[in-house]
Amino acid sequence: MKFIIKNTITIILSVIILNVIFGYINFNFDLTSDKRYTISEESKKILKNLEDKIYIKIYLDGNLPSEFEFFKNSMQTLLKNIRSVNSDLFEFDFNNPNINDEEKKITLFNQLIDLGLSPTDIQINKDDSKITQRIFPGAIIYYKDKTLAVNLLKNTANKSPSSSINHSIENLEYEIISSIIKITKKENDKIAFLTGNGQLSAEHVYDISHSVMNDNYNLSNYYDVERFNIKEYIIDSLNNKNNIAFQISRLLKYKVVIIAKPTLAFNDLDKYIIDQYIMNGGKVLWLVDGVKANMDSLKTQGGSFIAMKNNLNIDDQLFKYGVRINANLIQDLRSAQIPIVTGYSNNIPQQNFFTWPYYPILYSQKKHSLSKNIDGVKCEFVSSIDLIKNNIKKTILLESSENSRLILSPSNISLEILRNPPPKSSFSQGRKTIGVLLEGKFESVYKNRILPKDNSILNFKESSIENKMIVISDGDIISNYVSKTGNVYPLGYDKYRKITEAYAGNKYFLINLVQYLSDNQQLNLIKSKNLSLRMLDKKKIKKNRLTIEIINIILPVVLLSLFSIFFKLYEKKKYA
């Protein structure tokens, strides 16, 4: 008996000592298939290079539903792993904003909203009833004399709450690390929307630039976003002419230039400046329509119009770089829907939704980090892109579905296609390229050509250093909806169904592109992590509640009792 007691005490003491030791030592093996508990190497590099202490205050604690409890636990695990990388300069704590003092709670809520955190209302069970409680699933990051609010819950209108939480968990590392980069960065890189050739207005690119929803996911969160008119020059005081060299140097202040849906032709000087910007290492995101077509023309021209080639005078330039945007339109069976009046009831128009083949919804089949795991990207009147053989590496980022076909311009665009749709068998031309990444040493379109006057002062370059650009054959992909009264809606808003983030993929995809072009590849690699959310099935729990309770409560007791009986019988037999 003394031997048994001695062994039991030894085992208990050993367990306690081991628990204390491993409580202070980060000794983890991540055996999950999706490596959810492993910090990426890119994140580790950023954390190890911190100059001062980062302190994060998370406002997600207290009585939470199971989904949010899982969200909180995932966040807690991530932050512990981050702290293990640089424990000297990283600290965090969780706080419950729902304090008992009602007056202080309201004051705290207002302070958090003023700082930039977005509240979420949830229902919790209390005393056999459900009550609504406000939570703030976000964090405030403190660094030196700076503070930054980070909203960590990504609600998507067309996703279930479980899917939204899964999406949020997938992005936790990215959100935290990108916020640390932002708050610790001494100076932001600059990017610019090019103007002067009828590009989209500031209102039509407002959401991707600054965000209508006041969240962190916009270009201004990472860069200083400006607009650059390529036709406005500084006049050279010596000869009273446009200073072309200075115009190029001004443009080179920007890490990335976005050319969003130009509608007016570029002249040779415009092209030359853009070309030399590229030859000197500047990055360009081209969002260019191959054909002039828009839905407003259907309304103003009696339900049909002729779509013509979009003559921008840049075909030779893009061809030299390695692509050709064709003068055609892609029709795709996998497309967005638009409402059409199909009749009247008591003089009230009755609408039904029909698939509009000119609005393809794109899902990339490629594994590139730029388009991997991106939700559906919506395009409007998009053309195909041909890849030209040269020394430039080309990576297809966006394609139409297998069930697509091409309509050459000029072509008649009419609502009649909805009343008399073409046979589905005619949509058999396979995938068509819509977005492509070009990487390599580009050759100037002006090589062996006549240069603009006064070229002696321009320091002309025939070829670039290693560089990259992205070409997408749709300008509307970046355009947010602006109502007739001037109200700006989020990019991806479905104005027909009034769904806020019906096509959230547009914004995520485009920001990925800008980050890649600006050499912010660490963030793209962090973002590519893909987790599987293993949430409990509430219907199965309710249906099999008794079985689950027996397995989890009674079965362990029975097994322990059987083990105890077996052990006593064994002892009795051994020492009999």
Side-chain angles (χ1 to χ4, degrees):
M1 189 66 181
K2 287 182 180 179
F3 176 76
I4 295 171
I5 293 171
K6 184 180 178 181
N7 277 349
T8 303
I9 292 171
T10 303
I11 291 169
I12 292 171
L13 286 173
S14 299
V15 170
I16 292 170
I17 291 167
L18 286 171
N19 271 284
V20 171
I21 292 170
F22 287 115
Y24 287 95
I25 299 174
N26 185 28
F27 192 69
N28 297 324
F29 290 103
D30 188 353
L31 301 178
T32 58
S33 59
D34 48 22
K35 296 299 176 185
R36 66 176 60 219
Y37 304 118
T38 301
I39 298 295
S40 66
E41 291 302 316
E42 290 73 28
S43 294
K44 288 178 181 178
K45 290 175 188 174
I46 293 162
L47 293 165
K48 286 175 181 177
N49 289 325
L50 291 175
E51 293 181 2
D52 208 335
K53 190 165 188 175
I54 289 281
Y55 175 62
I56 300 182
K57 214 169 186 177
I58 303 96
Y59 288 90
L60 189 64
D61 207 355
N63 187 14
L64 301 169
S66 58
E67 293 91 346
F68 283 94
E69 190 67 38
F70 182 79
F71 185 38
K72 173 198 163 185
N73 291 337
S74 298
M75 199 185 308
Q76 207 164 27
T77 302
L78 171 69
L79 292 171
K80 284 180 179 178
N81 288 335
I82 289 175
R83 185 172 59 189
S84 70
V85 176
N86 193 344
S87 57
D88 292 335
L89 295 178
F90 188 88
E91 195 54 68
F92 70 91
D93 70 77
F94 281 76
N95 297 266
N96 181 5
N98 288 282
I99 52 183
N100 293 326
D101 190 314
E102 192 66 24
E103 188 176 338
K104 288 183 178 179
K105 182 172 76 173
I106 293 171
T107 302
L108 177 59
F109 282 5
N110 291 333
Q111 288 174 347
L112 295 178
I113 292 170
D114 289 341
L115 285 169
L117 288 187
S118 299
T120 297
D121 292 331
I122 59 171
Q123 286 190 329
I124 60 172
N125 297 318
K126 189 175 182 180
D127 300 328
D128 297 325
S129 64
K130 287 187 176 182
I131 63 169
T132 301
Q133 180 176 289
R134 177 157 285 192
I135 62 171
F136 289 81
I140 305 294
I141 301 179
Y142 299 87
Y143 178 77
K144 295 183 178 178
D145 58 344
K146 301 178 185 177
T147 59
L148 178 65
V150 188
N151 292 299
L152 298 169
L153 179 64
K154 305 296 176 189
N155 281 318
T156 307
N158 56 341
K159 286 186 177 181
S160 67
S162 294
S163 296
S164 292
I165 287 175
N166 183 41
H167 179 59
S168 301
I169 292 170
E170 285 183 350
N171 281 278
L172 275 177
E173 184 180 342
Y174 169 80
E175 291 292 343
I176 295 295
I177 298 300
S178 65
S179 298
I180 289 173
I181 291 173
K182 178 175 175 59
I183 201 169
T184 57
K185 203 167 189 179
K186 294 173 183 176
E187 187 178 0
N188 286 336
D189 291 327
K190 290 185 176 184
I191 65 172
F193 283 89
L194 204 67
T195 66
N197 295 90
Q199 287 92 338
L200 292 172
S201 67
E203 290 75 22
H204 282 94
V205 294
Y206 181 85
D207 187 54
I208 196 166
S209 301
H210 305 288
S211 188
V212 176
M213 306 296 287
N214 293 319
D215 57 23
N216 304 311
Y217 210 65
N218 57 74
L219 292 173
S220 293
N221 195 47
Y222 310 99
Y223 310 96
D224 290 338
V225 182
E226 299 178 5
R227 294 176 72 79
F228 184 93
N229 192 328
I230 198 169
K231 296 185 183 298
E232 291 182 356
Y233 292 86
I234 303 298
I235 303 299
D236 192 330
S237 59
L238 296 176
N239 55 24
N240 203 32
K241 292 182 179 180
N242 294 337
N243 192 327
I244 300 171
F246 189 58
Q247 186 78 331
I248 296 169
S249 68
R250 286 176 62 211
L251 196 57
L252 281 167
K253 292 189 305 182
Y254 302 107
K255 204 82 179 273
V256 178
V257 165
I258 303 170
I259 301 176
K261 196 178 171 67
T263 55
L264 302 175
F266 292 78
N267 61 38
D268 281 343
L269 194 51
D270 298 336
K271 292 167 61 176
Y272 180 84
I273 290 166
I274 295 169
D275 176 84
Q276 288 301 291
Y277 169 75
I278 294 167
M279 295 308 115
N280 282 277
K283 315 294 192 298
V284 178
L285 172 56
W286 302 84
L287 307 172
V288 178
D289 294 333
V291 170
K292 287 185 177 180
N294 61 73
M295 287 300 287
D296 289 339
S297 299
L298 283 175
K299 297 175 185 176
T300 59
Q301 299 182 34
S304 68
F305 67 93
I306 302 299
M308 304 292 292
K309 174 178 168 58
N310 193 20
N311 289 307
L312 296 173
N313 191 32
I314 55 172
D315 290 352
D316 59 336
Q317 189 165 10
L318 292 176
F319 188 92
K320 190 73 171 181
Y321 300 152
V323 295
R324 175 173 52 229
I325 298 178
N326 296 307
N328 58 28
L329 288 172
I330 296 173
Q331 289 185 350
D332 199 325
L333 289 181
R334 187 181 63 196
S335 297
Q337 293 186 324
I338 62 171
I340 300 295
V341 175
T342 55
Y344 290 84
S345 176
N346 296 324
N347 294 322
I348 299 173
Q350 303 299 304
Q351 292 184 334
N352 286 318
F353 282 86
F354 295 88
T355 298
W356 183 238
Y358 294 103
Y359 280 10
I361 307 297
L362 311 178
Y363 295 89
S364 176
Q365 303 298 312
K366 307 300 177 182
K367 299 299 182 183
H368 198 282
S369 62
L370 289 176
S371 50
K372 182 183 176 184
N373 299 326
I374 293 292
D375 287 339
V377 175
K378 180 194 173 190
C379 292
E380 298 183 7
F381 296 110
V382 62
S383 303
S384 68
I385 296 177
D386 288 340
L387 306 182
I388 308 303
K389 190 174 181 180
N390 61 5
N391 64 337
I392 298 298
K393 178 186 175 184
K394 302 169 186 73
T395 305
I396 296 172
L397 301 176
L398 281 183
E399 296 175 301
S400 64
S401 78
E402 289 280 358
N403 302 310
S404 61
R405 66 178 191 171
L406 296 176
I407 306 298
L408 300 178
S409 69
S411 59
N412 183 44
I413 309 298
S414 173
L415 294 174
E416 190 63 30
I417 195 174
L418 301 179
R419 299 185 184 93
N420 299 294
K424 290 185 177 181
S425 59
S426 65
F427 291 82
S428 58
Q429 295 181 17
R431 301 185 189 280
K432 302 300 174 187
T433 300
I434 291 168
V436 59
L437 165 67
L438 306 175
E439 297 175 290
K441 294 181 179 180
F442 296 98
E443 195 170 87
S444 170
V445 69
Y446 286 93
K447 183 180 180 181
N448 302 322
R449 286 172 60 174
I450 297 173
L451 300 176
K453 293 179 181 180
D454 300 324
N455 63 79
S456 59
I457 63 167
L458 299 181
N459 192 24
F460 172 71
K461 287 195 173 184
E462 290 186 346
S463 62
S464 75
I465 56 174
E466 283 291 333
N467 204 353
K468 52 196 172 186
M469 67 175 70
I470 294 170
V471 181
I472 296 176
S473 54
D474 180 37
D476 295 298
I477 192 173
I478 200 171
S479 178
N480 54 249
Y481 173 60
V482 181
S483 70
K484 291 179 180 179
T485 57
N487 292 326
V488 178
Y489 290 81
L491 179 57
Y493 173 74
D494 187 333
K495 64 180 179 181
Y496 302 120
R497 297 180 182 273
K498 295 180 172 54
I499 300 175
T500 300
E501 290 185 298
Y503 309 106
N506 286 49
K507 193 172 184 180
Y508 282 84
F509 175 62
L510 290 164
I511 291 179
N512 278 0
L513 301 188
V514 176
Q515 289 178 340
Y516 186 85
L517 290 176
S518 66
D519 297 318
N520 211 340
Q521 297 181 47
Q522 287 178 316
L523 291 177
N524 282 307
L525 291 169
I526 294 167
K527 194 185 295 182
S528 64
K529 183 181 283 189
N530 187 24
L531 306 181
S532 299
L533 184 61
R534 301 174 180 91
M535 300 295 289
L536 297 177
D537 189 324
K538 291 182 178 180
K539 290 183 179 179
K540 284 186 178 179
I541 291 172
K542 190 174 182 180
K543 184 180 178 181
N544 304 295
R545 182 170 181 172
L546 182 60
T547 305
I548 292 169
E549 286 177 344
I550 290 171
I551 292 172
N552 284 279
I553 299 172
I554 299 175
L555 185 60
V557 175
V558 171
L559 290 174
L560 188 62
S561 300
L562 289 172
F563 176 78
S564 179
I565 292 168
F566 172 79
F567 185 77
K568 285 183 179 179
L569 289 172
Y570 174 77
E571 286 283 307
K572 188 175 180 181
K573 185 178 179 181
K574 184 176 180 179
Y575 297 105

